[in-house]
Amino acid sequence: MNKPTPAAHPRSAPTPVLSVSPVVLPAPGRAVELQVRVSAPVTGSELPIILLSHGHGRSNHLSSLNGYAPLAHFLAAHGFVVIQPTHLDSKTLVLDSGDPDAPLYWRARAGDMKRILDQLDAIERAVAGLAGRLDRSKVAVIGHSLGGHTASLLLGTRHKDLHDGTAVNLAEPRIKAGVLLAAPGRGDALSRFAAENYPFFSTIDFSTMTTPALVIAGDKDDSPHLTVAGADWHADPYLLAPGPKSLVTLFDAGHGLGGVSGYDVAETTDENPERVAAVQRLTWAYLRTALYSGDSAWQEAQDALTGAAHPLGRVESK
């Protein structure tokens, strides 16, 4: 498989990264205080912000602020400040299973991201050298798997409350763009297991997800424990949401998209460093162009992905 062309790479060399964790944020009403990791380039000012939401995987620590190093480090080394919370569904936490939002804590996950944006002053104070370097007008969200669902909620996706049927709207207007990685799809294609254990998924409505977003899905990501629709299910956030949206379908990619949740992760069934590199560059490029009007990074990355003799995937937009 040919390597992506140089146009897929960020234009500047990576800079050293400072990563600080845990930064503990007060969270009244939450089961535990909110802990986050902050990764930032050691130089630069007016830095855009990325909120990175982890998935709900089998590992003990990847689904926490300690996971997703391939994404967090790359994006921080190329000019973003990346903030990663440990959501309440993380296996690093042992919580009362009687919580009505358990086991996935889908509403609380979106609330975590809002808390982070509410407490950027505290985050700046807690991370040496960060004060005054954030551009709070340029905020994006990235999520993988269940984290992709969290990102979609912040971008405008809605649910119906299972008890009274009212609409649940968790959209966050401070977030200007997002990237959904292997995110869940429509509610009428759930597996029996998902329908019984995660019934809130059955009410998902992408028609209100109006914020610009990139959806990245693998064409081998069948996810039979979640859906009967096969790999196409993960394209639903693109197909069922209004534009502007883009969809990247990665060839031969499974749910791990090559290994985005961590370096050398045994549960990644499709480990492929080249594929991870493509996800890194595509994510960076899309958010650069989404946050900086006129930036050509996204077009260059698309050309690199599809223009090789053996492309890594395909791209469509609306």
Side-chain angles (χ1 to χ4, degrees):
M1 187 175 289
N2 290 3
K3 292 187 178 300
T5 65
H9 292 271
R11 301 179 192 89
S12 59
T15 62
V17 170
L18 172 69
S19 185
V20 178
S21 72
V23 175
V24 181
L25 303 177
R30 195 175 186 267
V32 294
E33 292 180 311
L34 178 58
Q35 296 192 7
V36 304
R37 174 183 295 275
V38 181
S39 301
V42 298
T43 60
S45 59
E46 298 183 345
L47 300 171
I49 301 164
I50 291 177
L51 308 181
L52 176 53
S53 180
H54 64 72
H56 182 75
R58 298 189 301 272
S59 295
N60 290 323
H61 291 279
L62 291 176
S63 294
S64 76
L65 58 77
N66 292 315
Y68 293 86
L71 284 177
H73 186 90
F74 180 90
L75 293 166
H78 292 284
F80 287 91
V81 173
V82 182
I83 305 176
Q84 301 172 253
T86 294
H87 295 302
L88 292 176
D89 64 293
S90 174
K91 288 186 178 180
T92 63
L93 304 175
V94 180
L95 302 177
D96 180 6
S97 61
D99 190 313
D101 204 24
L104 299 186
Y105 296 92
W106 62 277
R107 300 186 207 221
R109 280 171 147 265
D112 291 343
M113 302 307 215
K114 294 172 182 284
R115 288 183 192 272
I116 289 170
L117 294 179
D118 290 342
Q119 298 191 53
L120 289 175
D121 287 343
I123 290 172
E124 286 195 17
R125 289 192 297 269
V127 179
L130 189 61
R133 298 174 60 209
L134 300 180
D135 185 345
R136 303 187 188 196
S137 71
K138 293 182 171 60
V139 180
V141 63
I142 300 172
H144 174 244
S145 192
L146 181 59
H149 175 259
T150 301
S152 78
L153 292 173
L154 296 164
L155 299 172
T157 294
R158 296 184 186 180
H159 283 276
K160 289 183 180 178
D161 188 282
L162 293 175
H163 299 290
D164 60 20
T166 58
V168 180
N169 180 6
L170 299 173
E172 175 48 69
R174 289 172 289 186
I175 295 175
K176 307 305 181 185
V179 179
L180 279 56
L181 306 173
R186 66 189 186 277
D188 63 358
L190 298 179
S191 68
R192 181 175 178 178
F193 173 84
E196 292 176 352
N197 291 276
Y198 313 134
F200 69 90
F201 276 136
S202 67
T203 71
I204 196 166
D205 180 5
F206 294 109
S207 69
T208 54
M209 191 175 75
T210 57
T211 307
L214 167 64
V215 177
I216 300 181
D219 68 359
K220 297 295 189 293
D221 184 8
D222 293 340
S223 302
H225 63 298
L226 294 176
T227 182
V228 297
D232 292 344
W233 190 61
H234 297 287
D236 285 346
Y238 169 78
L239 297 171
L240 302 179
K245 300 290 183 295
S246 292
L247 171 67
V248 168
T249 303
L250 294 176
F251 301 148
D252 298 319
H255 197 63
L257 302 178
V260 297
S261 63
Y263 297 112
D264 297 323
V265 175
E267 67 193 52
T268 299
T269 59
D270 67 326
E271 185 171 15
N272 185 311
E274 188 176 1
R275 188 173 298 138
V276 173
V279 174
Q280 291 170 328
R281 291 189 288 267
L282 289 162
T283 298
W284 174 88
Y286 180 83
L287 294 180
R288 279 290 308 182
T289 297
L291 297 176
Y292 296 91
S293 178
D295 192 294
S296 63
W298 174 231
Q299 185 59 57
E300 294 169 7
Q302 293 179 76
D303 293 343
L305 179 80
T306 60
H310 301 284
L312 293 173
R314 63 177 181 269
V315 186
E316 56 188 283
S317 297
K318 62 181 182 181

